[in-house]
């Protein structure tokens, strides 16, 4: 437990078990496709690292940094690419690796962007799905857990860049962000 958390939702073992299942599923679905896994920094970094270790078929990795939330717990709706992919993705079967789908604005933007670059296919794997937060209709093709419409941190997810290192995921106490400096735009 952590003093800034109201409660724990998923402990480390539960998360790793689920990540293993997602890795097995993706390995089966993409066994002959040499998929390109694109990690959306920074939130998905821990998920990506654990996920690719469970992928048993040929694959490649790349990374993209985007801005969405910043230090706030509310999505601004504005999405910006801070660091782009290393190579063109034309003809590639792409898997976007995200931490969480909340409003859906980030993924809607990313999926369209990658399709415009003529990827052969674009699917989304998100560890967490927060359907109660949706503003645009989009669903991850693969996801680990559904979460309530509350602000969660840990296992890559931050509040104002903190808590990413926690090996578990929990709900942040609301007095932490009520008193914080909340609207400096930073990367997700
Ligand atoms: P959207 O709203 O575009 O958001 O689907 C995706 C990004 O917003 C961040 N996000 C969260 N980060 N706890 C966090 O630490 C949360 O509960 C949360 N909800 C959304 C996250 O960076 C994600 O990539
Ligand atoms: Mg974030």
């Amino acid at each position: 437990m952590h003093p800034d958390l109201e409660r724990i939702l998923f402990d480390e073992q539960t998360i790793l078990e689920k990540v293993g299942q997602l890795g097995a599923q993706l390995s089966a679905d993409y066994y002959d496709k040499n998929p390109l896994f694109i990690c959306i920094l920074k939130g998905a970094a821990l998920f990506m690292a654990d996920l690719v270790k469970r992928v048993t078929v040929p694959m490649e990795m790349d990374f993209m940094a985007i801005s969405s939330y910043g230090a706030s717990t509310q999505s601004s709706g504005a999405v910006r690419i801070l660091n782009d992919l290393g190579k063109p993705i034309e003809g590639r079967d792409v898997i976007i690796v995200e931490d969480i789908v909340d409003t859906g604005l980030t993924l809607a933007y990313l999926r369209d962007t990658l399709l415009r670059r003529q990827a052969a296919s674009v699917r989304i794997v998100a560890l967490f799905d927060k359907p109660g937060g949706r503003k645009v209709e989009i669903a991850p093709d693969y996801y680990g857990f559904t979460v309530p419409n509350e602000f969660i941190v840990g296992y890559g997810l931050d509040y104002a860049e903190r808590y990413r290192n926690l090996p578990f995921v929990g709900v942040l106490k609301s007095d932490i962000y009520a008193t914080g400096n909340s609207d400096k735009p930073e990367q997700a």
Side-chain angles (χ1 to χ4, degrees), residues 45-133:
L46 277 68
F47 175 38
M48 176 81 161
D50 285 332
L51 180 66
V52 298
K53 285 183 277 182
R54 272 79 182 178
V55 173
T56 55
V57 299
M59 55 87 63
E60 294 174 26
M61 297 167 49
D62 207 339
F63 298 85
M64 201 172 195
I66 56 163
S67 81
S68 58
Y69 265 41
S72 165
T73 57
Q74 292 287 304
S75 182
S76 61
V79 179
R80 205 157 47 92
I81 297 176
L82 301 179
N83 260 297
D84 211 334
L85 299 171
K87 284 191 195 168
I89 56 165
E90 189 176 339
R92 297 299 305 264
D93 291 292
V94 163
I95 301 168
I96 300 174
V97 181
E98 251 290 35
D99 49 3
I100 184 167
V101 188
D102 183 6
T103 62
L105 291 164
T106 307
L107 279 174
Y109 170 86
L110 277 176
R111 195 178 59 182
D112 290 352
T113 301
L114 300 183
L115 284 171
R116 264 204 309 278
R117 294 183 189 180
Q118 307 193 353
S121 68
V122 177
R123 285 190 189 159
I124 296 158
V125 56
L127 186 55
F128 301 107
D129 187 14
K130 198 194 274 186

Side-chain angles (χ1 to χ4, degrees), residues 120-151:
S121 68
V122 177
R123 285 190 189 159
I124 296 158
V125 56
L127 186 55
F128 301 107
D129 187 14
K130 198 194 274 186
R134 266 329 176 278
K135 290 186 181 160
V136 293
E137 215 176 298
I138 189 166
D141 301 282
Y142 305 85
Y143 69 94
F145 306 97
T146 301
V147 294
N149 202 3
E150 294 178 280
F151 198 75

Side-chain angles (χ1 to χ4, degrees), residues 160 175 180 183:
D175 55 311
D183 46 22

Side-chain angles (χ1 to χ4, degrees), residues 156-177:
L157 290 155
D158 72 306
Y159 170 67
E161 295 302 325
R162 294 176 59 200
Y163 313 110
R164 293 193 197 276
N165 59 315
L166 302 181
F168 45 81
V169 166
V171 176
L172 190 63
K173 282 182 181 163
S174 58
D175 55 311
I176 303 290
Y177 52 84

